[in-house]
Amino acid sequence: MVGFDMMSEQESGALAARYHEVRERIELAARKAGRQPGSVSLVAVSKTHPAESVEVVAGEGQVVFGESYVQEALSKQECLSHLGLEWHFIGHLQSKKARDVVGRFALIHGVDNIKLAQNLQNRMAMLPVTSTGGDLSVQDILIQVNIGREPQKSGVAIEDLFSFAEDVIKLPQLRLRGLMCMPPFHCIGELASPYFAHLRELKEQVERHLGMALPHLSMGMSQDFEQAIAEGATLVRVGTDIFGERPA
């Protein structure tokens, strides 16, 4: 289990201040783009940071947290179950781990192959319709797109996106909610903007192709979330600017 480390009052105060600064930056970026601040949700990326840090940020009003490592995430969920948080799985998910995540995360951001999608569907079919977590009849997911066409990076190839989306919506217990991307590592700030714009265009094309609305674009991290908001992000995944550098 991920336990609680000792955090000083000064450390807690600095963490809270960084969180509120990020919230202010999100609001400013949204207004600058002519959008309502409420149209952008912050996913506070807490991976590798202790449960106590999550509790501090939750105490400041944050509800949605993102994790990338299954066992770490499940441990934090157990530790912090009393807080009623919403958890998103944002990392690369192996097909064999599908059994560990279904029904435990409000949104899985990184579905990028049909084997994983089918495993999620099969595991969902094994769950009871209701539990203490509420309705478990569907698992909300995003399709991760390899927006930079990088051979070493996860994500559905752009040319395969339409057919993959068609396959996903045939799985009755998965609910497609949008697209996610990570621009090339060296493209930060304004250099990431063309990739974010491209993902927005792809979402619009997929919506027309499928004849259904997709409410979410998950894009933008600490180094470029303002640019992502300008291009239509509805979910920004911010870790370092809130929690600080990851522990070694």
Side-chain angles (χ1 to χ4, degrees), residues 9-246:
E9 184 175 342
Q10 183 178 11
E11 289 171 329
S12 297
L15 175 55
R18 291 194 300 270
Y19 166 72
H20 287 293
E21 181 181 358
V22 167
R23 298 295 319 208
E24 291 171 2
R25 288 167 60 192
I26 290 171
E27 180 174 346
L28 180 61
R31 294 193 186 283
K32 186 177 179 181
R35 302 173 58 190
Q36 291 296 320
S39 67
V40 183
S41 294
L42 168 63
V43 181
V45 179
S46 48
K47 65 180 181 181
T48 75
H49 293 281
E52 186 183 28
S53 295
V54 175
E55 188 167 45
V56 169
V57 175
E60 298 300 315
Q62 180 64 21
V63 174
V64 183
F65 290 85
E67 292 283 332
S68 296
Y69 307 114
V70 174
Q71 294 309 314
E72 178 188 349
L74 298 182
S75 294
K76 285 179 184 171
Q77 288 179 5
E78 184 179 352
C79 268
L80 303 170
S81 60
H82 60 289
L83 296 179
L85 303 177
E86 178 178 311
W87 298 93
H88 290 198
F89 194 84
I90 64 170
H92 176 67
L93 182 61
Q94 295 176 314
S95 296
K96 65 182 180 181
K97 292 289 187 178
R99 66 183 183 275
D100 297 319
V101 301
V102 292
R104 294 186 173 97
F105 293 87
L107 186 63
I108 298 173
H109 287 228
V111 177
D112 63 356
N113 65 81
I114 193 60
K115 181 180 179 181
L116 172 58
Q118 289 172 335
N119 281 3
L120 291 169
Q121 161 66 28
N122 293 340
R123 289 292 173 175
M124 282 298 299
M126 298 179 185
L127 295 179
V129 174
T130 59
S131 75
T132 55
D135 185 0
L136 295 179
S137 61
V138 294
Q139 173 68 65
D140 286 347
I141 67 164
L142 305 177
I143 292 175
Q144 181 175 352
V145 181
N146 188 343
I147 200 69
R149 301 181 184 273
E150 299 171 276
Q152 78 280 12
K153 188 172 284 186
S154 301
V156 176
I158 293 170
E159 54 269 24
D160 296 332
L161 178 58
F162 285 4
S163 60
F164 182 65
E166 290 172 358
D167 290 339
V168 166
I169 65 170
K170 293 174 185 175
L171 301 173
Q173 289 181 281
L174 299 187
R175 181 164 56 189
L176 180 58
R177 304 295 284 162
L179 305 181
M180 180 269 249
C181 80
M182 297 177 64
F185 181 75
H186 63 278
C187 294
I188 62 176
E190 293 296 337
L191 293 177
S193 292
Y195 297 96
F196 297 146
H198 192 187
L199 192 72
R200 185 193 68 244
E201 294 165 359
L202 288 172
K203 183 181 83 76
E204 293 168 354
Q205 292 169 15
V206 172
E207 287 177 321
R208 291 193 294 269
H209 184 76
L210 299 179
M212 61 185 287
L214 300 175
H216 287 309
L217 278 173
S218 172
M219 56 189 193
M221 298 184 289
S222 289
Q223 69 270 24
D224 53 24
F225 68 82
E226 284 107 339
Q227 288 78 20
I229 291 169
E231 296 296 344
T234 64
L235 299 167
V236 293
R237 312 179 304 271
V238 183
T240 301
D241 280 6
I242 297 173
F243 293 99
E245 295 296 331
R246 297 174 194 162

